[in-house]
mmCIF file of all heavy atoms in Angstrom:
data_model
loop_
_atom_site.group_PDB
_atom_site.id
_atom_site.type_symbol
_atom_site.label_atom_id
_atom_site.label_comp_id
_atom_site.label_asym_id
_atom_site.label_seq_id
_atom_site.Cartn_x
_atom_site.Cartn_y
_atom_site.Cartn_z
ATOM 1 N N THR A 243 108.568 59.617 16.654
ATOM 2 C CA THR A 243 109.677 59.431 15.730
ATOM 3 C C THR A 243 110.032 60.748 15.001
ATOM 4 O O THR A 243 111.231 61.085 14.790
ATOM 5 C CB THR A 243 109.351 58.350 14.710
ATOM 6 O OG1 THR A 243 108.973 57.182 15.394
ATOM 7 C CG2 THR A 243 110.647 58.024 13.887
ATOM 8 N N ILE A 244 109.022 61.522 14.631
ATOM 9 C CA ILE A 244 109.224 62.812 13.964
ATOM 10 C C ILE A 244 110.073 63.675 14.879
ATOM 11 O O ILE A 244 111.106 64.331 14.443
ATOM 12 C CB ILE A 244 107.930 63.521 13.656
ATOM 13 C CG1 ILE A 244 107.170 62.780 12.583
ATOM 14 C CG2 ILE A 244 108.185 64.968 13.204
ATOM 15 C CD1 ILE A 244 105.723 63.196 12.431
ATOM 16 N N ALA A 245 109.753 63.750 16.164
ATOM 17 C CA ALA A 245 110.474 64.591 17.061
ATOM 18 C C ALA A 245 111.886 64.103 17.280
ATOM 19 O O ALA A 245 112.889 64.839 17.283
ATOM 20 C CB ALA A 245 109.785 64.658 18.408
ATOM 21 N N LEU A 246 112.071 62.818 17.436
ATOM 22 C CA LEU A 246 113.411 62.240 17.770
ATOM 23 C C LEU A 246 114.283 62.349 16.559
ATOM 24 O O LEU A 246 115.554 62.398 16.767
ATOM 25 C CB LEU A 246 113.291 60.828 18.267
ATOM 26 C CG LEU A 246 112.552 60.647 19.624
ATOM 27 C CD1 LEU A 246 112.420 59.138 19.997
ATOM 28 C CD2 LEU A 246 113.368 61.360 20.732
ATOM 29 N N THR A 247 113.812 62.308 15.386
ATOM 30 C CA THR A 247 114.699 62.383 14.223
ATOM 31 C C THR A 247 114.902 63.763 13.681
ATOM 32 O O THR A 247 115.585 63.939 12.725
ATOM 33 C CB THR A 247 114.153 61.481 13.071
ATOM 34 O OG1 THR A 247 112.779 61.875 12.767
ATOM 35 C CG2 THR A 247 114.214 60.049 13.383
ATOM 36 N N ALA A 248 114.409 64.773 14.396
ATOM 37 C CA ALA A 248 114.686 66.168 13.997
ATOM 38 C C ALA A 248 116.158 66.405 14.154
ATOM 39 O O ALA A 248 116.801 65.813 14.958
ATOM 40 C CB ALA A 248 113.838 67.128 14.792
ATOM 41 N N ASP A 249 116.708 67.406 13.380
ATOM 42 C CA ASP A 249 118.153 67.629 13.531
ATOM 43 C C ASP A 249 118.506 68.665 14.643
ATOM 44 O O ASP A 249 119.650 69.103 14.739
ATOM 45 C CB ASP A 249 118.782 67.980 12.224
ATOM 46 C CG ASP A 249 118.149 69.150 11.540
ATOM 47 O OD1 ASP A 249 117.381 69.883 12.279
ATOM 48 O OD2 ASP A 249 118.437 69.394 10.338
ATOM 49 N N ARG A 250 117.509 69.024 15.420
ATOM 50 C CA ARG A 250 117.853 69.715 16.714
ATOM 51 C C ARG A 250 116.920 69.134 17.756
ATOM 52 O O ARG A 250 116.019 68.341 17.418
ATOM 53 C CB ARG A 250 117.584 71.235 16.514
ATOM 54 C CG ARG A 250 116.249 71.614 16.094
ATOM 55 C CD ARG A 250 115.956 73.121 16.002
ATOM 56 N NE ARG A 250 114.691 73.445 15.545
ATOM 57 C CZ ARG A 250 113.586 73.582 16.322
ATOM 58 N NH1 ARG A 250 113.679 73.456 17.615
ATOM 59 N NH2 ARG A 250 112.452 73.875 15.794
ATOM 60 N N THR A 251 117.105 69.464 18.965
ATOM 61 C CA THR A 251 116.265 68.827 20.017
ATOM 62 C C THR A 251 114.890 69.499 20.014
ATOM 63 O O THR A 251 114.775 70.733 20.177
ATOM 64 C CB THR A 251 116.941 69.099 21.430
ATOM 65 O OG1 THR A 251 118.271 68.680 21.352
ATOM 66 C CG2 THR A 251 116.153 68.340 22.487
ATOM 67 N N VAL A 252 113.882 68.646 19.730
ATOM 68 C CA VAL A 252 112.494 69.117 19.709
ATOM 69 C C VAL A 252 111.704 68.359 20.750
ATOM 70 O O VAL A 252 111.777 67.117 20.749
ATOM 71 C CB VAL A 252 111.881 68.976 18.292
ATOM 72 C CG1 VAL A 252 110.403 69.297 18.345
ATOM 73 C CG2 VAL A 252 112.619 69.837 17.299
ATOM 74 N N GLY A 253 110.985 69.090 21.607
ATOM 75 C CA GLY A 253 110.220 68.380 22.598
ATOM 76 C C GLY A 253 108.838 67.916 22.072
ATOM 77 O O GLY A 253 108.343 68.438 21.046
ATOM 78 N N ILE A 254 108.247 66.984 22.742
ATOM 79 C CA ILE A 254 106.872 66.528 22.467
ATOM 80 C C ILE A 254 105.945 66.975 23.579
ATOM 81 O O ILE A 254 106.405 67.158 24.732
ATOM 82 C CB ILE A 254 106.771 65.089 22.172
ATOM 83 C CG1 ILE A 254 107.228 64.212 23.382
ATOM 84 C CG2 ILE A 254 107.556 64.665 20.884
ATOM 85 C CD1 ILE A 254 106.930 62.728 23.303
ATOM 86 N N TYR A 255 104.671 67.094 23.265
ATOM 87 C CA TYR A 255 103.728 67.624 24.243
ATOM 88 C C TYR A 255 102.368 66.919 23.927
ATOM 89 O O TYR A 255 101.455 67.523 23.484
ATOM 90 C CB TYR A 255 103.528 69.150 24.002
ATOM 91 C CG TYR A 255 103.188 69.990 25.193
ATOM 92 C CD1 TYR A 255 103.862 71.213 25.479
ATOM 93 C CD2 TYR A 255 102.093 69.650 26.011
ATOM 94 C CE1 TYR A 255 103.535 72.011 26.584
ATOM 95 C CE2 TYR A 255 101.759 70.462 27.112
ATOM 96 C CZ TYR A 255 102.463 71.628 27.365
ATOM 97 O OH TYR A 255 102.127 72.428 28.424
ATOM 98 N N PRO A 256 102.312 65.614 24.236
ATOM 99 C CA PRO A 256 101.146 64.879 23.957
ATOM 100 C C PRO A 256 100.078 64.964 25.024
ATOM 101 O O PRO A 256 100.392 65.053 26.213
ATOM 102 C CB PRO A 256 101.650 63.385 23.869
ATOM 103 C CG PRO A 256 102.830 63.367 24.814
ATOM 104 C CD PRO A 256 103.409 64.755 24.827
ATOM 105 N N GLU A 257 98.794 64.900 24.599
ATOM 106 C CA GLU A 257 97.683 64.956 25.534
ATOM 107 C C GLU A 257 96.990 63.594 25.702
ATOM 108 O O GLU A 257 96.739 62.928 24.775
ATOM 109 C CB GLU A 257 96.635 65.983 25.039
ATOM 110 C CG GLU A 257 95.449 66.101 26.009
ATOM 111 C CD GLU A 257 94.437 67.068 25.594
ATOM 112 O OE1 GLU A 257 94.708 67.951 24.729
ATOM 113 O OE2 GLU A 257 93.282 66.990 26.089
ATOM 114 N N ILE A 258 96.776 63.241 26.945
ATOM 115 C CA ILE A 258 95.890 62.109 27.253
ATOM 116 C C ILE A 258 94.483 62.670 27.034
ATOM 117 O O ILE A 258 93.924 63.301 27.952
ATOM 118 C CB ILE A 258 96.065 61.622 28.709
ATOM 119 C CG1 ILE A 258 97.500 61.251 28.969
ATOM 120 C CG2 ILE A 258 95.190 60.393 28.902
ATOM 121 C CD1 ILE A 258 97.823 60.948 30.419
ATOM 122 N N LYS A 259 93.930 62.438 25.823
ATOM 123 C CA LYS A 259 92.720 63.087 25.438
ATOM 124 C C LYS A 259 91.459 62.270 25.744
ATOM 125 O O LYS A 259 91.429 61.097 25.440
ATOM 126 C CB LYS A 259 92.827 63.415 23.934
ATOM 127 C CG LYS A 259 91.708 64.254 23.370
ATOM 128 C CD LYS A 259 92.185 65.662 23.175
ATOM 129 C CE LYS A 259 91.029 66.557 22.777
ATOM 130 N NZ LYS A 259 91.290 67.893 23.311
ATOM 131 N N ASN A 260 90.427 62.926 26.273
ATOM 132 C CA ASN A 260 89.186 62.185 26.548
ATOM 133 C C ASN A 260 89.352 60.851 27.161
ATOM 134 O O ASN A 260 88.739 59.818 26.680
ATOM 135 C CB ASN A 260 88.355 62.072 25.272
ATOM 136 C CG ASN A 260 87.779 63.337 24.777
ATOM 137 O OD1 ASN A 260 88.260 63.928 23.853
ATOM 138 N ND2 ASN A 260 86.703 63.776 25.462
ATOM 139 N N PRO A 261 90.174 60.674 28.229
ATOM 140 C CA PRO A 261 90.423 59.333 28.762
ATOM 141 C C PRO A 261 89.160 58.609 29.254
ATOM 142 O O PRO A 261 89.080 57.376 29.130
ATOM 143 C CB PRO A 261 91.409 59.616 29.905
ATOM 144 C CG PRO A 261 91.219 61.020 30.263
ATOM 145 C CD PRO A 261 90.867 61.737 28.957
ATOM 146 N N VAL A 262 88.244 59.369 29.743
ATOM 147 C CA VAL A 262 87.027 58.724 30.264
ATOM 148 C C VAL A 262 86.315 58.028 29.081
ATOM 149 O O VAL A 262 85.920 56.847 29.205
ATOM 150 C CB VAL A 262 86.134 59.791 30.957
ATOM 151 C CG1 VAL A 262 84.780 59.153 31.284
ATOM 152 C CG2 VAL A 262 86.765 60.329 32.134
ATOM 153 N N HIS A 263 86.136 58.747 28.027
ATOM 154 C CA HIS A 263 85.480 58.214 26.793
ATOM 155 C C HIS A 263 86.253 57.047 26.265
ATOM 156 O O HIS A 263 85.682 55.987 25.915
ATOM 157 C CB HIS A 263 85.355 59.365 25.757
ATOM 158 C CG HIS A 263 84.932 58.925 24.422
ATOM 159 N ND1 HIS A 263 83.661 58.509 24.057
ATOM 160 C CD2 HIS A 263 85.646 58.803 23.242
ATOM 161 C CE1 HIS A 263 83.550 58.209 22.811
ATOM 162 N NE2 HIS A 263 84.749 58.386 22.246
ATOM 163 N N ILE A 264 87.585 57.168 26.135
ATOM 164 C CA ILE A 264 88.435 56.141 25.535
ATOM 165 C C ILE A 264 88.327 54.868 26.379
ATOM 166 O O ILE A 264 88.065 53.728 25.850
ATOM 167 C CB ILE A 264 89.853 56.596 25.434
ATOM 168 C CG1 ILE A 264 89.982 57.757 24.472
ATOM 169 C CG2 ILE A 264 90.751 55.402 24.986
ATOM 170 C CD1 ILE A 264 89.724 57.435 23.031
ATOM 171 N N ASN A 265 88.441 54.993 27.713
ATOM 172 C CA ASN A 265 88.440 53.775 28.532
ATOM 173 C C ASN A 265 87.053 53.134 28.599
ATOM 174 O O ASN A 265 86.912 51.883 28.858
ATOM 175 C CB ASN A 265 88.911 54.149 29.991
ATOM 176 C CG ASN A 265 90.407 54.281 30.070
ATOM 177 O OD1 ASN A 265 91.139 53.474 29.472
ATOM 178 N ND2 ASN A 265 90.881 55.235 30.823
ATOM 179 N N GLU A 266 86.037 53.936 28.256
ATOM 180 C CA GLU A 266 84.679 53.274 28.188
ATOM 181 C C GLU A 266 84.541 52.421 26.989
ATOM 182 O O GLU A 266 83.934 51.400 26.984
ATOM 183 C CB GLU A 266 83.684 54.413 28.005
ATOM 184 C CG GLU A 266 82.954 54.911 29.280
ATOM 185 C CD GLU A 266 82.014 56.059 28.898
ATOM 186 O OE1 GLU A 266 81.055 55.885 28.167
ATOM 187 O OE2 GLU A 266 82.271 57.217 29.473
ATOM 188 N N HIS A 267 85.229 52.847 25.838
ATOM 189 C CA HIS A 267 85.014 52.177 24.544
ATOM 190 C C HIS A 267 86.071 51.246 24.130
ATOM 191 O O HIS A 267 85.818 50.376 23.299
ATOM 192 C CB HIS A 267 84.740 53.267 23.521
ATOM 193 C CG HIS A 267 83.457 53.927 23.645
ATOM 194 N ND1 HIS A 267 82.339 53.626 22.900
ATOM 195 C CD2 HIS A 267 83.121 55.032 24.431
ATOM 196 C CE1 HIS A 267 81.313 54.408 23.243
ATOM 197 N NE2 HIS A 267 81.748 55.287 24.178
ATOM 198 N N VAL A 268 87.273 51.417 24.685
ATOM 199 C CA VAL A 268 88.402 50.635 24.182
ATOM 200 C C VAL A 268 88.990 49.821 25.373
ATOM 201 O O VAL A 268 89.249 50.406 26.449
ATOM 202 C CB VAL A 268 89.476 51.468 23.507
ATOM 203 C CG1 VAL A 268 90.624 50.561 22.925
ATOM 204 C CG2 VAL A 268 88.868 52.323 22.439
ATOM 205 N N LYS A 269 89.227 48.528 25.256
ATOM 206 C CA LYS A 269 89.811 47.715 26.232
ATOM 207 C C LYS A 269 91.118 47.121 25.759
ATOM 208 O O LYS A 269 91.250 46.714 24.619
ATOM 209 C CB LYS A 269 88.834 46.561 26.630
ATOM 210 C CG LYS A 269 87.430 47.052 27.005
ATOM 211 C CD LYS A 269 87.401 47.887 28.301
ATOM 212 C CE LYS A 269 86.046 48.443 28.548
ATOM 213 N NZ LYS A 269 86.042 49.586 29.521
ATOM 214 N N TRP A 270 92.093 47.094 26.653
ATOM 215 C CA TRP A 270 93.338 46.455 26.394
ATOM 216 C C TRP A 270 93.516 45.222 27.207
ATOM 217 O O TRP A 270 92.782 44.976 28.168
ATOM 218 C CB TRP A 270 94.508 47.414 26.747
ATOM 219 C CG TRP A 270 94.655 48.575 25.741
ATOM 220 C CD1 TRP A 270 95.467 48.547 24.631
ATOM 221 C CD2 TRP A 270 93.954 49.795 25.711
ATOM 222 N NE1 TRP A 270 95.329 49.776 23.953
ATOM 223 C CE2 TRP A 270 94.400 50.545 24.628
ATOM 224 C CE3 TRP A 270 93.020 50.420 26.596
ATOM 225 C CZ2 TRP A 270 93.981 51.795 24.289
ATOM 226 C CZ3 TRP A 270 92.538 51.686 26.280
ATOM 227 C CH2 TRP A 270 93.078 52.376 25.154
ATOM 228 N N SER A 271 94.376 44.376 26.812
ATOM 229 C CA SER A 271 94.586 43.100 27.578
ATOM 230 C C SER A 271 95.239 43.373 28.895
ATOM 231 O O SER A 271 95.808 44.493 29.095
ATOM 232 C CB SER A 271 95.415 42.125 26.718
ATOM 233 O OG SER A 271 96.624 42.719 26.426
ATOM 234 N N ASN A 272 95.269 42.390 29.742
ATOM 235 C CA ASN A 272 95.891 42.457 31.086
ATOM 236 C C ASN A 272 95.330 43.648 31.927
ATOM 237 O O ASN A 272 96.009 44.180 32.785
ATOM 238 C CB ASN A 272 97.422 42.700 30.927
ATOM 239 C CG ASN A 272 98.099 41.575 30.112
ATOM 240 O OD1 ASN A 272 97.498 40.502 30.005
ATOM 241 N ND2 ASN A 272 99.268 41.888 29.587
ATOM 242 N N GLY A 273 94.071 43.975 31.697
ATOM 243 C CA GLY A 273 93.451 45.015 32.516
ATOM 244 C C GLY A 273 94.047 46.407 32.411
ATOM 245 O O GLY A 273 93.806 47.247 33.179
ATOM 246 N N LYS A 274 94.928 46.583 31.338
ATOM 247 C CA LYS A 274 95.511 47.838 31.189
ATOM 248 C C LYS A 274 94.547 48.880 30.691
ATOM 249 O O LYS A 274 93.605 48.547 30.048
ATOM 250 C CB LYS A 274 96.746 47.758 30.278
ATOM 251 C CG LYS A 274 97.897 46.993 30.958
ATOM 252 C CD LYS A 274 99.159 47.155 30.140
ATOM 253 C CE LYS A 274 100.257 46.396 30.870
ATOM 254 N NZ LYS A 274 101.409 46.203 30.028
#
Side-chain angles (χ1 to χ4, degrees):
Chain A
T243 308
I244 292 169
L246 293 177
T247 53
D249 57 14
R250 58 179 176 88
T251 309
V252 173
I254 58 171
Y255 209 134
E257 179 179 343
I258 304 173
K259 188 102 189 150
N260 288 102
V262 173
H263 168 76
I264 296 292
N265 281 321
E266 265 177 62
H267 289 263
V268 184
K269 305 296 173 197
W270 285 268
S271 57
N272 304 339
K274 288 194 178 164

